[in-house]
Amino acid sequence: VAVKPFEYIGACSRVAAAAFGHRRKILRAALRPLAKSMQLEPIQWIESCEMDPTTRAETLTEEDFRALARVFGEAQRCASNA
């Protein structure tokens, strides 16, 4: 069975780096600079992925990071097409 590569792997790397870039910060604070770089509102971005903005990165699953990366990747795609 062929495995389809994750389309937003670059975005996933950026999200993970931002989430873990500061020790013990909640997701809302850790992702704020990255969100602002794409004109995303951090709380709305996180909640749109059905997550609590006060969660810490170390509690997220791989699927959680993929969800955040999809939204961020789409924002990047829209920004590059503008």
Side-chain angles (χ1 to χ4, degrees):
V1 175
V3 176
K4 182 180 175 190
F6 183 57
E7 182 178 0
Y8 299 109
I9 195 69
C12 198
S13 286
R14 290 188 66 192
V15 169
F20 287 108
H22 303 282
R23 286 189 54 164
R24 304 200 40 81
K25 273 197 173 181
I26 60 173
L27 213 51
R28 174 185 68 223
L31 295 181
R32 183 176 288 122
L34 190 61
K36 296 295 183 182
S37 75
M38 285 293 127
Q39 286 76 44
L40 293 170
E41 186 56 45
I43 293 174
Q44 291 174 343
W45 171 28
I46 297 163
E47 287 178 342
S48 76
C49 298
E50 298 181 9
M51 288 177 236
D52 180 354
T54 63
T55 299
R56 295 191 188 280
E58 61 268 19
T59 66
L60 298 181
T61 66
E62 179 182 339
E63 210 37 58
D64 292 335
F65 278 106
R66 286 175 179 250
L68 289 166
R70 279 186 201 97
V71 175
F72 185 77
E74 284 299 318
Q76 283 183 305
R77 185 177 292 167
C78 290
S80 67
N81 290 335

